[in-house]
């Protein structure tokens, strides 16, 4: 998609240079150039604002996924500590917690990140973990309190995973992205109309088109945080998994 955007944007500059040669000279005189520059400023400003909003939205989505991974990892560690505090009879529950963590880690770090990320969250073994904790029979007030807190944390882990699953269906608005590419293309067409077709101008247009399409690439990458080259780090999950059982 970003490559297609680059073709349209840079192609607009080339089309503008071609139109410059085809249009009569009186169409590009001082009065006409002033109006063209005003139009360029308007469209360029709108494009910059929308592009900035899309980048900010994508960054917020990416940071939200990072926060949720960290939150799940912290809950996993605290749940393991609570089960260890409960006593040796939580061995099966702690093993279920370890298995659940491994599955979450495998899904979030899979090479086929998009497919794994959208798997049904019920497949991660959270139900087994909850059942193991529910099956505990506390013998005093401390164990009853720990069991209640452990169940709450297990539910919280499941809720966070469900939230991540639901957010996996979100993506950047394709119509908005198409309109923004159209605005950028119009801006480059106008620049091509006003610029003399020489090597320096073409190089500047090329660099500008690459920058604009690079911003679109960043937006698309941050809306796909489990695939591509900008991925959410699984370091918190790995740290939590290494801590389990100690």
């Amino acid at each position: 998609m970003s490559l297609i955007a680059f073709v349209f944007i840079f192609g607009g500059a080339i089309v503008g240079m071609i139109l410059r040669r085809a249009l009569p000279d009186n169409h590009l005189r001082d009065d006409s150039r002033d109006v063209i520059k005003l139009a360029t400023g308007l469209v360029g400003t709108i494009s910059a604002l929308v592009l900035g909003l899309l980048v900010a939205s994508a960054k917020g989505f990416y940071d939200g996924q990072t926060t949720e991974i960290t939150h799940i990892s912290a809950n996993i560690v605290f749940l393991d500590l609570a089960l260890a505090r409960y006593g040796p009879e939580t061995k099966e529950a702690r093993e279920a917690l370890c298995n659940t963590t491994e599955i979450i880690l495998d899904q979030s770090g899979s090479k086929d990140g998009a497919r794994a990320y959208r798997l049904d969250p019920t497949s991660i073994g959270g139900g087994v973990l909850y059942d193991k904790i529910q099956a505990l029979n506390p013998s005093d007030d401390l164990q009853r309190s720990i069991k209640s807190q452990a169940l709450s944390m297990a539910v919280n882990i499941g809720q966070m995973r469900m939230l991540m699953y639901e957010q996996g269906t979100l993506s950047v608005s394709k119509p908005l992205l198409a309109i923004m590419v159209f605005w950028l293309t119009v801006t480059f067409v106008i620049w091509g109309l006003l610029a003399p077709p020489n090597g320096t101008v073409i190089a500047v247009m090329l660099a500008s088109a690459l920058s604009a399409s690079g911003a679109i690439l960043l937006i698309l990458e941050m809306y796909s945080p489990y695939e591509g080259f900008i991925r959410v780090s699984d370091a918190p999950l790995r740290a939590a998994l290494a801590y389990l059982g100690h």
Side-chain angles (χ1 to χ4, degrees):
M1 290 181 66
S2 58
L3 181 60
I4 292 172
F6 168 76
V7 170
F8 274 97
I9 295 169
F10 184 64
I14 301 301
V15 169
M17 293 179 185
I18 294 173
L19 289 176
R20 176 188 174 89
R21 294 182 177 180
L23 291 175
D25 292 340
N26 63 321
H27 285 206
L28 297 175
R29 288 178 181 173
D30 291 342
D31 293 342
S32 298
R33 290 175 69 91
D34 290 341
V35 174
I36 293 172
K37 288 180 180 178
L38 288 174
T40 306
L42 174 63
V43 178
T45 301
I46 294 174
S47 302
L49 287 173
V50 173
L51 188 62
L53 288 173
L54 285 175
V55 170
S57 175
K59 184 63 166 60
F61 179 81
Y62 180 87
D63 289 343
Q65 294 296 304
T66 302
T67 300
E68 287 161 10
I69 283 286
T70 305
H71 191 183
I72 285 179
S73 302
N75 279 342
I76 287 171
V77 172
F78 276 111
L79 178 54
D80 185 69
L81 288 172
L83 293 175
R85 177 76 172 174
Y86 185 96
E89 55 267 49
T90 60
K91 179 180 178 181
E92 292 184 358
R94 297 180 72 185
E95 289 176 352
L97 176 62
C98 184
N99 292 334
T100 299
T101 306
E102 289 176 349
I103 294 172
I104 297 174
L105 180 61
D106 289 342
Q107 290 182 359
S108 63
S110 172
K111 292 182 179 179
D112 188 8
R115 180 190 63 77
Y117 178 51
R118 296 189 175 100
L119 284 177
D120 187 341
T122 59
S123 68
I124 66 171
V128 175
L129 172 62
Y130 187 89
D131 291 341
K132 294 294 184 183
I133 298 174
Q134 185 64 47
L136 296 174
N137 293 315
S139 58
D140 54 36
D141 290 342
L142 176 60
Q143 288 188 340
R144 277 190 286 270
S145 174
I146 292 175
K147 178 182 177 179
S148 176
Q149 293 174 3
L151 287 172
S152 177
M153 284 186 282
V155 169
N156 186 266
I157 291 172
Q159 288 175 337
M160 292 296 295
R161 181 57 183 167
M162 180 63 76
L163 177 63
M164 293 170 63
Y165 168 76
E166 293 296 337
Q167 288 177 341
T169 61
L170 299 177
S171 64
V172 63
S173 172
K174 300 301 189 299
L176 182 58
L177 194 61
I179 292 171
M180 187 189 65
V181 172
F182 172 73
W183 287 340
L184 290 170
T185 302
V186 170
T187 302
F188 273 72
V189 169
I190 298 174
W191 287 353
L193 280 173
L194 300 178
N198 56 56
T200 301
V201 170
I202 292 175
V204 170
M205 294 287 190
L206 177 64
S208 300
L210 283 172
S211 299
S213 57
I216 294 172
L217 177 62
L218 286 177
I219 293 169
L220 296 172
E221 283 289 326
M222 286 190 289
Y223 266 109
S224 303
Y226 296 94
E227 59 180 336
F229 60 87
I230 301 180
R231 293 191 176 196
V232 170
S233 174
D234 59 2
L237 280 173
R238 293 187 180 279
L241 184 60
Y243 185 86
L244 295 183
H246 289 78

